[in-house]
Amino acid sequence: MDGKVIVITGGSSGMGAAMAKAFVDRGAKVAVFDLNEEKGRALVAEINQPTAAFYKVDVTNKQAIAAAVDEVEAQFGPLTTWVNSAGVSEMKPFLESSEELWDLTMDVNLKATFLCCQVAIERMLKTGGGEILNMSSLSGKKASSWQTIYCASKFGVQGLTQSIAKEFADQNIRVNSICPGIVYTEMWEKLKHQYAKKRNLDPEEVMDYFKGNIPMHRLVDLQDVINAAVFLVTDQSSYLTGQSINLVGGEWMD
Ligand SMILES: NC(=O)c1ccc[n+]([C@@H]2O[C@H](COP(=O)([O-])OP(=O)(O)OC[C@H]3O[C@@H](n4cnc5c(N)ncnc54)[C@H](O)[C@@H]3O)[C@@H](O)[C@H]2O)c1
């Protein structure tokens, strides 16, 4: 990944942080955009390379995104690659799901992806192309009760990914997504309590409950995410655009 200049939104935590470390290890320059400054700075300190940087950015704000990209390009050179991993998720019965939760989820998961893709593509068109990777979800393909808003946002990410991919396919910009099942990150440390309520389980039983329903009987590893992401943002996948990789251990095949 030498020569790549990559922005990872939501890179302070979970899959974004795992990708940041893995991409720097492979020679890329990586800028993490996240609201969580403490975790973002700790990550960059742990990576301990001049090729990793943290920017405190609210990815629902286009001006803030564009200003941070100016700084990244001044520090690392022209942007080549963008990963949208910032996300939020709550599990609630439909009738208890508030308008505020709708706005937050749509803003972070869908609108921010739209804004970031716009900013990234404006830059990429000037430099001859690039790659965008959107972290979607199995919930971008498969309905889930108590996750109506989250599913709606991730189904939206799928439509956005495919439409942008089509529009820029002949301009050397590839846009793909990953649809993971369950990755045990901070997101699920919180969600397992909510899911336990839904199924009347002990929170500590939730992950084993899921494993029982996955044909491979294991959750997604961060390494699985890294492998798929490296594939999608390098020339290994040069003929793929508008596609999604289902990282689901056989649970879903469409
Ligand atoms: N964990 C899973 O099981 C799972 C499965 C499928 C898809 N996903 C998706 O993958 C992505 C990463 O998930 P994760 O589990 O690593 O999540 P995570 O909660 O560990 O990390 C998400 C990050 O997004 C950041 N963020 C939230 N709002 C932001 C904003 N407005 N501006 C900037 N940063 C913001 C948070 O600070 C956090 O660091 C998300 O889009 C999530 O929906 C997660």
Side-chain angles (χ1 to χ4, degrees), residues 195 199 208-217 248-251:
Y195 193 82
R199 294 272 179 236
D208 284 339
Y209 173 87
F210 282 128
K211 286 179 201 167
N213 292 329
I214 297 167
M216 282 190 188
H217 297 308
V248 296
E251 193 184 342

Side-chain angles (χ1 to χ4, degrees), residues 60-176:
T60 65
N61 177 333
K62 188 171 180 185
Q63 258 187 328
I65 303 162
V69 177
D70 286 343
E71 288 184 48
V72 172
E73 292 198 313
Q75 186 177 359
F76 287 152
L79 177 78
T80 64
T81 309
W82 194 288
V83 178
N84 285 305
S85 190
V88 291
S89 180
E90 287 282 333
M91 226 175 244
K92 273 200 190 328
F94 176 64
L95 294 177
E96 291 172 26
S97 299
S98 66
E99 196 175 331
E100 288 74 26
L101 180 60
W102 172 273
D103 288 344
L104 173 72
T105 310
M106 288 298 167
D107 278 357
V108 180
N109 295 4
L110 187 52
K111 182 175 140 184
T113 304
F114 157 72
L115 296 175
C116 287
C117 286
Q118 264 192 347
V119 171
I121 290 171
E122 281 160 10
R123 312 285 165 135
M124 289 171 181
L125 286 173
K126 290 184 189 144
T127 52
E131 310 86 26
I132 297 177
L133 170 58
N134 293 328
M135 292 310 299
S136 181
S137 174
L138 176 55
S139 298
K141 296 196 165 173
K142 184 185 171 198
S144 190
S145 55
W146 284 38
Q147 279 213 297
T148 304
I149 301 176
Y150 184 73
C151 279
S153 74
K154 293 297 186 179
F155 270 70
V157 169
Q158 289 298 105
L160 195 70
T161 302
Q162 292 172 17
S163 303
I164 299 170
K166 209 166 208 182
E167 190 164 336
F168 295 96
D170 62 357
Q171 288 168 90
N172 201 30
I173 294 173
R174 298 188 301 110
V175 191
N176 292 293

Side-chain angles (χ1 to χ4, degrees), residues 9-17 19 33-37 39 55-61 84-89 104 107-109 112-113 134-139 150 153-154 178-188 190-191 220 222:
T9 75
S12 290
S13 176
M15 290 184 248
M19 286 184 273
F33 285 11
D34 204 296
L35 278 179
N36 192 325
E37 185 163 10
K39 285 185 71 174
Y55 293 84
K56 187 171 182 182
V57 182
D58 179 349
V59 292
T60 65
N61 177 333
N84 285 305
S85 190
V88 291
S89 180
L104 173 72
D107 278 357
V108 180
N109 295 4
T113 304
N134 293 328
M135 292 310 299
S136 181
S137 174
L138 176 55
S139 298
Y150 184 73
S153 74
K154 293 297 186 179
I178 298 180
C179 293
I182 290 162
V183 196
Y184 195 67
T185 61
E186 279 195 11
M187 191 171 268
W188 267 99
K190 182 190 71 186
L191 286 178
V220 189
L222 286 173

Side-chain angles (χ1 to χ4, degrees), residues 227-243:
N227 294 344
V230 169
F231 172 66
L232 288 175
V233 303
T234 60
D235 286 347
Q236 296 284 307
S237 60
S238 58
Y239 199 51
L240 292 191
T241 197
Q243 306 302 312

